[in-house]
Amino acid sequence: MPILRVPNCSIAGISTALPKETESNKSYPFRSDKERDQFISTTGIHQRHIAPPDRSFIDYALASSTALLKELSWESEEINFIIVVTQTADFRMPGSAVLLQDQLGFSKGCGAFDINLGCSGYVYGLNTLMSLMANMPDSKGLLVVGDLSSRCISPKDRSTYPLFSDAITTTAVKWDMDAEAQFNLESDGSGFKAIHIPEGGSLKPVTSDSVKFDRAEEGIERRGIDMELHGTDVFHFSLKEVAPNIIRLLDYSQTSIEQVDYCILHQANLLINQMIGKKLKLADSKMPLSLSSFGNTSSASIPVTLCQELHEELAERKLKLVLSGFGVGLSWGSALIETNQIKCLSPIYL
């Protein structure tokens, strides 16, 4: 398994852009009030942010990136890399990173590429960007992460639609000779059907049938181009793999869970995160949650939670953090980082 150390890089700041439009799970047409209340209680999700049809991934990415660059007083020509992690890019080709390189005014000497990952994407993306920058003194990079998940989920799928929310985040990474991060990255493609979109790729291109709704069971109707999520499989995978992944990383770095200030888990749902916390013997106060107001924001959920729940502490003092993402792939990974006065911007609503 790739447990590795990456020297010389630290996070300088994080910004978030979200749709201003929200949908409440109290108004979603569940079969009954009891089912609605049970769903909210189990998942912890009360409302979600849903992008309107006239907004795109690039719109939110530009907003979050522009605001963060201004806050940090970073000039466009200083950026050496921009990496995008998303599964809802504006186009099948080209990737979103090159579009952002141009629209943000970065130089042609800026490396730009996309990574196709979901809920583990923040940890994988952070590792990729830091690894590229580790041997480039004074380098700077942006990691843009998130999805407009509402664009690929059937609103008639009561098992999935009320879980996901739209959000895009930008994380600024700088070269820092006093910093070091450790990562533990894992995957298991044999479980890919737990979360996948059956049609729309080169294996099964879109046809007229792809946009027709089929009834999977009562309360669940999907098209071939919609996400298919098998909750029981995801639940068992999360409980089996996430805590051991974090424990191995902490053992590798010779760090105890008590030495960690906070463990920020991907915001899958409340029950999953509580169960993982128990396996780690982690106090609830060390496991911040943003689910209630923001839902499951896919690969953006870790930076969203950092900005929403820890912005004051991140700005004021050093923190030792575990970050853990897990989901689509199946893919999962954790990072152990130390922060030093990170600037977390207030959410931008479009």
Side-chain angles (χ1 to χ4, degrees):
M1 66 192 72
I3 302 181
L4 63 157
R5 297 176 184 269
V6 181
N8 303 332
C9 289
S10 63
I11 295 175
I14 304 172
S15 62
T16 302
L18 304 115
K20 60 185 176 182
E21 291 84 357
T22 62
E23 291 184 2
S24 171
N25 277 343
K26 290 184 178 180
S27 61
Y28 184 79
F30 289 99
R31 286 180 301 186
S32 65
D33 291 347
K34 181 179 180 181
E35 185 185 52
R36 177 202 63 204
D37 293 341
Q38 184 177 25
F39 182 93
I40 293 174
S41 174
T42 301
T43 65
I45 300 170
H46 289 260
Q47 71 169 23
R48 295 159 289 105
H49 292 259
I50 305 298
D54 61 343
R55 293 290 187 186
S56 72
F57 173 89
I58 291 294
D59 290 333
Y60 294 101
L62 279 172
S64 64
S65 299
T66 301
L68 187 56
L69 291 170
K70 182 178 180 181
E71 178 69 22
L72 296 173
S73 298
W74 284 13
E75 300 296 331
S76 59
E77 62 269 16
E78 295 181 278
I79 308 303
N80 303 100
F81 295 101
I82 180 167
I83 295 175
V84 169
V85 182
T86 188
Q87 295 186 121
T88 58
D90 286 9
F91 303 102
R92 287 187 63 192
M93 65 171 71
S96 298
V98 292
L99 302 179
L100 288 171
Q101 174 271 330
D102 173 56
Q103 295 186 44
L104 289 167
F106 296 166
S107 75
K108 293 181 182 178
C110 174
F113 61 92
D114 287 31
I115 297 174
N116 182 359
L117 275 175
C119 307
S120 65
Y122 189 70
V123 172
Y124 268 80
L126 201 60
N127 171 260
T128 303
L129 180 57
M130 288 184 168
S131 296
L132 288 169
M133 293 172 53
N135 295 310
M136 290 183 62
D138 301 321
S139 57
K140 294 177 179 177
L142 294 186
L143 175 65
V144 180
V145 171
D147 285 301
L148 301 185
S149 296
S150 64
R151 301 283 170 85
C152 58
I153 301 175
S154 167
K156 299 180 181 182
D157 184 349
R158 72 163 188 264
S159 68
T160 305
Y161 186 78
L163 289 170
F164 286 90
S165 190
D166 299 336
I168 309 298
T169 66
T170 301
T171 299
V173 175
K174 64 180 179 180
W175 194 84
D176 181 350
M177 65 183 298
D178 297 319
E180 182 180 77
Q182 291 107 51
F183 296 87
N184 184 11
L185 308 177
E186 297 186 88
S187 62
D188 180 8
S190 69
F192 83 94
K193 286 189 176 180
I195 315 171
H196 79 302
I197 297 175
E199 299 178 34
S202 59
L203 177 63
K204 291 186 177 181
V206 174
T207 67
S208 58
D209 289 335
S210 302
V211 295
K212 294 178 181 178
F213 283 96
D214 287 323
R215 185 178 184 272
E217 58 183 85
E218 184 180 355
I220 300 177
E221 294 183 39
R222 288 187 292 255
R223 298 161 295 187
I225 57 172
D226 290 325
M227 180 193 299
E228 186 174 322
L229 184 149
H230 299 279
T232 301
D233 293 341
V234 174
F235 181 83
H236 290 306
F237 146 70
S238 302
L239 296 193
K240 177 183 177 182
E241 301 292 359
V242 176
N245 175 274
I246 293 171
I247 291 168
R248 285 191 292 269
L249 177 65
L250 292 175
D251 289 345
Y252 171 80
S253 64
Q254 298 182 325
T255 302
S256 68
I257 194 69
E258 291 76 21
Q259 292 174 293
V260 175
D261 292 301
Y262 294 101
C263 180
I264 297 87
L265 301 175
H266 163 57
Q267 304 292 286
N269 70 52
L270 180 61
L271 179 60
I272 287 176
N273 287 22
Q274 286 177 334
M275 297 291 285
I276 294 171
K278 288 181 181 179
K279 285 178 172 285
L280 293 169
K281 299 180 180 179
L282 192 67
D284 289 344
S285 60
K286 285 192 170 188
M287 193 177 65
L289 299 169
S290 61
L291 283 160
S292 178
S293 298
F294 298 98
N296 180 336
T297 52
S298 187
S299 55
S301 71
I302 291 172
V304 165
T305 304
L306 287 169
C307 284
Q308 180 67 17
E309 303 298 324
L310 298 177
H311 59 278
E312 291 183 359
E313 285 190 73
L314 286 166
E316 293 171 359
R317 68 186 184 97
K318 294 181 178 180
L319 293 175
K320 189 180 291 259
L321 304 176
V322 167
L323 315 176
S324 174
F326 47 94
V328 181
L330 295 167
S331 173
W332 64 102
S334 55
L336 179 65
I337 65 171
E338 292 191 29
T339 67
N340 187 8
Q341 296 182 314
I342 291 179
K343 291 186 178 182
C344 288
L345 280 61
S346 299
I348 301 163
Y349 293 102
L350 298 178

